[in-house]
Amino acid sequence: MSTKTYAAFNEVDALAPHTIKRRQLSPKDIFIDIEYCGVCHSDIHTAKGDWGKPNYPVVPGHEIIGRIKEVGSEVTNFKVGDLVGVGCMVESCQDCHPCEEGLEQYCENGFTGTYNSKNSKHGGVTYGGYSENIVVEEKFVLRVPENIDVKAAAPLLCAGITTWSPLRHWNVKPGDKVGVIGLGGLGHMGVKFAKAMGAHVVMITTSESKGADAKKLGADEVLISKDNAQMEAHKNSFDFLLNTIPVKHDANPYLNLLKLDKTMCIVGAIEPIEAVNGGLLVMKRKNLAGSLIGGIKETQEMLDFCGEHNIVSDVEVIDIQTINTAYERMMKSDVKYRFVIDIKSLKEA
Ligand code: NAP
Ligand code: ZN
């Protein structure tokens, strides 16, 4: 089937319309008619080749929400018409230790990403959600609660789970002082979830202008990271730090903020970060860690939690024709707080 998409063709040119073919349905496949797709900073990193040369043309998008249009003969958990989501993964080996634990993102044989991944099972390269539709195996399809705002729920599939998973893994609990570093797509979900888990939340930002918004999102305090006096005042006081900065940076001023034994988890910078001062870790037994999205089971738990507590993203809905402007704005930290593409603009083009 011929499907309209937007794709990046090389590192420098703007994304442009592109037609692809989706595969015929296998017995376990689900055909999803896409309604909305969020714009993650990872889309930009991939399209621009920040993480190495991708498989051009790249059709980004891994915050996908839509309705099921067709199901394969062996699909048991979903039916035509269901509201569903697809996040960053579409396949994994299902056989290794992490897969058996429901941690497919750490699959020892490498999971298949929703876009720009070689598809070992079905062939070809995967194409993401800047697209009219997608075909995904049932195992990697998430159920989206019907009561939440569909367009604002799309970012939960990546920004949501990527912040939910570490907050849960490091057991954030009522009364903990939690810092969320970087107020973008991930950061704003981190603030909402940490607040919902009962933490005292501090938004740690480079942008003074985002302070008032951070409080509206649920932050109890705002800490401007460029202000040394403020950073000094919060020294050795945090129970957990969630670091969403998308590029390499000096992590030492943030490590300085942690209490004895506590952890800073990096989710943004997947490149060599600047030299970490071992003394900061040694002297107070601090931990520097990382975390990758989240498993399918915990993604479903997060979506169910969002349905119960009415938690969604703050989004700016765009037509796909303005995607390149959205990328430029995100690279200047100018986004409140997630762009979401209305896929109707692609279907009607
Ligand atoms: P985003 O919406 O662009 O937000 C990033 C925020 O970080 C900016 O708004 C800015 O916030 C802050 N920032 C940017 N440059 C900075 C710098 N040089 N120093 C300090 N702060 C800086 O990005 P996003 O979509 O949230 O994604 C964040 C990162 O996570 C990206 O690298 C993305 O690829 C990655 N990611 C990782 C996973 C995972 O599984 N680990 C999943 C999804 C995304 P302030 O203005 O508040 O300072
Ligand atoms: Zn993402």
Side-chain angles (χ1 to χ4, degrees):
M1 169 187 315
S2 170
T3 295
K4 286 195 268 185
T5 73
Y6 257 60
F9 294 88
N10 56 51
E11 286 85 347
V12 289
D13 291 328
L15 272 67
H18 176 56
T19 302
I20 60 160
K21 279 209 173 350
R22 293 294 185 191
R23 66 172 183 259
Q24 292 288 325
L25 260 59
S26 301
K28 291 192 160 47
D29 275 341
I30 291 182
F31 183 94
I32 302 164
D33 182 49
I34 302 177
E35 294 182 3
Y36 294 97
C37 183
V39 180
C40 179
H41 209 113
S42 303
D43 301 352
I44 303 178
H45 285 311
T46 308
K48 298 207 174 295
D50 294 349
W51 294 336
K53 196 177 174 76
N55 298 296
Y56 291 116
V58 173
V59 177
H62 57 206
E63 294 184 337
I64 299 167
I65 296 251
R67 286 203 185 263
I68 296 181
K69 220 171 167 185
E70 206 182 326
V71 294
S73 56
E74 289 173 19
V75 169
T76 50
N77 292 320
F78 295 93
K79 58 177 192 320
V80 171
D82 285 354
L83 184 64
V84 292
V86 178
C88 304
M89 303 179 283
V90 289
E91 266 155 46
S92 71
C93 80
Q94 299 295 310
D95 207 27
C96 67
H97 183 63
C99 280
E100 278 170 7
E101 298 266 293
L103 297 170
E104 299 88 350
Q105 74 275 33
Y106 303 117
C107 175
E108 283 166 7
N109 297 300
F111 68 82
T112 304
T114 302
Y115 59 80
N116 186 41
S117 267
K118 290 252 159 58
N119 193 331
S120 50
K121 202 161 164 188
H122 299 278
V125 169
T126 53
Y127 297 119
Y130 296 6
S131 169
E132 296 179 287
N133 51 51
I134 192 165
V135 175
V136 179
E137 282 194 13
E138 171 173 34
K139 169 81 193 155
F140 286 85
V141 175
L142 285 310
R143 190 171 294 285
V144 176
E146 285 281 353
N147 63 310
I148 52 182
D149 181 0
V150 181
K151 59 183 182 305
L156 298 176
L157 276 308
C158 173
I161 186 59
T162 302
T163 50
W164 171 269
S165 182
L167 291 168
R168 293 302 283 228
H169 180 77
W170 276 279
N171 200 19
V172 164
K173 54 185 188 311
D176 282 355
K177 180 172 171 182
V178 171
V180 178
I181 307 170
L183 185 46
L186 268 56
H188 95 291
M189 289 312 304
V191 169
K192 290 186 187 205
F193 285 146
K195 189 70 194 172
M197 291 171 189
H200 177 88
V201 184
V202 182
M203 181 69 235
I204 305 173
T205 175
T206 60
S207 309
E208 222 166 329
S209 60
K210 291 181 182 171
D213 274 4
K215 291 206 168 153
K216 272 191 237 149
L217 293 166
D220 298 285
E221 289 180 72
V222 176
L223 168 52
I224 307 300
S225 53
K226 292 173 180 160
D227 182 329
N228 292 337
Q230 284 189 35
M231 291 291 274
E232 188 61 24
H234 284 267
K235 194 175 153 185
N236 297 331
S237 69
F238 283 84
D239 293 288
F240 184 65
L241 290 172
L242 180 60
N243 180 337
T244 77
I245 300 173
V247 286
K248 83 170 178 194
H249 58 278
D250 182 2
N252 295 302
Y254 302 109
L255 285 169
N256 212 24
L257 299 172
L258 288 172
K259 277 184 192 162
L260 170 70
D261 274 337
K262 301 302 182 187
T263 297
M264 173 162 81
C265 175
I266 288 186
V267 291
I270 62 163
E271 61 228 59
I273 52 174
E274 283 170 36
V276 168
N277 180 349
L280 279 173
L281 303 177
V282 170
M283 295 305 181
K284 291 211 164 39
R285 208 162 56 189
K286 295 179 181 181
N287 307 289
L288 178 58
S291 181
L292 180 66
I293 44 178
I296 293 299
K297 185 164 168 274
E298 69 179 331
T299 305
Q300 190 60 63
E301 284 164 9
M302 179 269 314
L303 287 167
D304 295 344
F305 181 90
C306 290
E308 280 159 35
H309 298 262
N310 199 22
I311 295 176
V312 286
S313 294
D314 288 32
V315 301
E316 181 175 337
V317 177
I318 58 167
D319 287 344
I320 199 149
Q321 291 77 10
T322 64
I323 186 67
N324 296 297
T325 312
Y327 275 21
E328 280 160 27
R329 282 183 52 195
M330 278 173 78
M331 285 187 285
K332 290 186 285 189
S333 299
D334 172 23
V335 50
K336 289 184 170 178
Y337 280 95
R338 200 56 142 186
F339 291 114
V340 170
I341 305 163
D342 185 347
I343 296 297
K344 192 151 41 98
S345 60
L346 177 64
K347 292 175 183 162
E348 291 174 355

